[in-house]
Coordinates of all heavy atoms in Angstrom, one line a residue:
F27 N 0.5 0.3 7.7 CA -0.1 1.6 8.0 C -0.8 2.2 6.8 O -0.3 2.1 5.7 CB 1.0 2.5 8.5 CG 0.6 4.0 8.6 CD1 -0.2 4.4 9.7 CD2 1.1 4.9 7.8 CE1 -0.5 5.7 9.8 CE2 0.9 6.3 7.9 CZ 0.0 6.7 9.0
L81 N 7.7 0.1 5.1 CA 6.4 0.8 5.2 C 5.5 0.4 4.1 O 5.9 0.2 2.9 CB 6.6 2.3 5.1 CG 5.4 3.2 5.1 CD1 4.7 3.2 6.5 CD2 5.8 4.6 4.7
T82 N 4.2 0.2 4.4 CA 3.2 0.0 3.4 C 2.9 1.3 2.7 O 2.4 2.2 3.3 CB 1.9 -0.6 4.0 OG1 2.1 -1.7 4.8 CG2 0.8 -0.9 3.0
T83 N 3.3 1.4 1.4 CA 3.1 2.7 0.7 C 1.7 2.8 0.1 O 1.1 3.8 0.0 CB 4.1 2.8 -0.4 OG1 3.9 1.7 -1.4 CG2 5.5 2.8 0.1
K84 N 1.1 1.6 -0.3 CA -0.2 1.5 -0.8 C -0.7 0.1 -0.6 O 0.0 -0.8 -1.0 CB -0.3 1.9 -2.3 CG -1.7 1.8 -2.9 CD -1.6 2.1 -4.4 CE -1.1 0.9 -5.2 NZ -2.1 -0.1 -5.5
H85 N -1.8 -0.1 0.0 CA -2.3 -1.5 0.2 C -3.4 -1.7 -0.9 O -3.6 -0.9 -1.8 CB -2.9 -1.7 1.6 CG -2.9 -3.1 2.0 ND1 -4.1 -3.8 2.1 CD2 -2.0 -4.0 2.3 CE1 -3.9 -5.0 2.4 NE2 -2.6 -5.2 2.5
F89 N -5.1 3.5 -1.6 CA -4.8 4.8 -1.1 C -3.3 5.0 -1.0 O -2.6 4.2 -0.4 CB -5.4 5.0 0.3 CG -5.3 6.4 0.9 CD1 -6.1 7.4 0.4 CD2 -4.4 6.7 1.9 CE1 -6.0 8.7 0.9 CE2 -4.3 7.9 2.4 CZ -5.1 9.0 1.9
C90 N -2.7 6.0 -1.6 CA -1.3 6.2 -1.7 C -0.8 7.1 -0.6 O -1.4 8.2 -0.4 CB -0.9 6.9 -3.1 SG -1.5 6.0 -4.5
L91 N 0.3 6.7 0.1 CA 0.8 7.5 1.2 C 1.9 8.4 0.6 O 2.8 8.8 1.4 CB 1.4 6.5 2.2 CG 0.4 5.7 3.0 CD1 1.0 4.8 4.0 CD2 -0.7 6.6 3.7
W92 N 1.8 8.8 -0.6 CA 2.7 9.8 -1.2 C 1.9 10.6 -2.2 O 0.8 10.3 -2.5 CB 3.9 9.0 -1.9 CG 3.5 8.4 -3.2 CD1 3.6 8.9 -4.5 CD2 3.0 7.1 -3.4 NE1 3.1 8.0 -5.4 CE2 2.7 6.9 -4.8 CE3 2.6 6.1 -2.5 CZ2 2.2 5.7 -5.3 CZ3 2.1 4.9 -3.0 CH2 1.9 4.7 -4.4
V110 N 5.7 8.6 2.7 CA 6.8 7.8 2.1 C 8.0 8.6 2.1 O 9.1 8.1 2.5 CB 6.4 7.3 0.7 CG1 7.6 6.6 0.1 CG2 5.2 6.4 0.7
G125 N 12.7 -0.1 3.3 CA 11.9 -1.0 2.6 C 10.5 -0.4 2.4 O 10.0 0.3 3.2
L126 N 10.0 -0.7 1.2 CA 8.7 -0.2 0.8 C 7.8 -1.3 0.3 O 8.2 -2.0 -0.7 CB 8.8 0.9 -0.3 CG 9.7 2.1 0.1 CD1 9.9 3.1 -1.1 CD2 9.1 2.9 1.3
Y127 N 6.6 -1.5 0.8 CA 5.7 -2.5 0.4 C 4.6 -1.7 -0.5 O 4.0 -0.8 0.0 CB 5.0 -3.2 1.5 CG 3.8 -4.0 1.1 CD1 4.0 -5.4 0.8 CD2 2.5 -3.5 1.1 CE1 3.0 -6.2 0.4 CE2 1.5 -4.3 0.7 CZ 1.7 -5.6 0.3 OH 0.7 -6.4 -0.1
H128 N 4.4 -2.2 -1.7 CA 3.5 -1.5 -2.6 C 2.6 -2.6 -3.2 O 3.1 -3.5 -3.9 CB 4.2 -0.8 -3.7 CG 3.3 -0.1 -4.7 ND1 2.9 1.2 -4.6 CD2 2.8 -0.6 -5.9 CE1 2.2 1.5 -5.6 NE2 2.1 0.4 -6.4
S129 N 1.3 -2.6 -2.9 CA 0.4 -3.6 -3.4 C 0.2 -3.5 -4.9 O 0.0 -2.4 -5.4 CB -0.9 -3.6 -2.7 OG -1.8 -4.5 -3.3

Side-chain angles (χ1 to χ4, degrees):
F27 168 70
L81 175 70
T82 305
T83 63
K84 178 182 78 79
H85 201 253
F89 190 75
C90 303
L91 293 180
W92 74 92
V110 175
L126 303 173
Y127 170 89
H128 179 91
S129 174

